[in-house]
Amino acid sequence: MQATAYTYDENTRSGSVLLDDGTPVPFDAPAFDAGGLRLLRPGQRVRIETAGEGEALRITLVTLQTL
């Protein structure tokens, strides 16, 4: 699934993305670390993997979108 980086805190390595419908979804440090990134800037296009649905939706991986 694709999304757009919305917020990112370097100290906690957590933040949020915006899904294509505009829904913000938070991610935690383990999801960020799983993608092998060192930094994330708001507006970057990212690829995410998720688990759960609805209110239980959580991001398990955040990495840069590549073609």
Side-chain angles (χ1 to χ4, degrees):
M1 178 183 300
Q2 296 180 16
T4 302
Y6 185 51
T7 64
Y8 176 67
D9 182 326
E10 289 183 58
N11 295 321
T12 64
R13 297 182 329 280
S14 62
S16 64
V17 300
L18 292 177
L19 302 181
D20 289 343
D21 67 1
T23 303
V25 181
F27 63 86
D28 56 14
F32 182 79
D33 294 344
L37 300 175
R38 293 191 289 173
L39 181 65
L40 190 61
R41 289 178 294 219
Q44 282 184 300
R45 197 69 175 154
V46 295
R47 184 177 69 82
I48 60 172
E49 292 182 9
T50 61
E53 296 180 6
E55 295 294 320
L57 181 70
R58 65 183 182 84
I59 295 175
T60 59
L61 176 129
V62 178
T63 192
L64 292 180
Q65 177 63 35
T66 59
L67 300 175

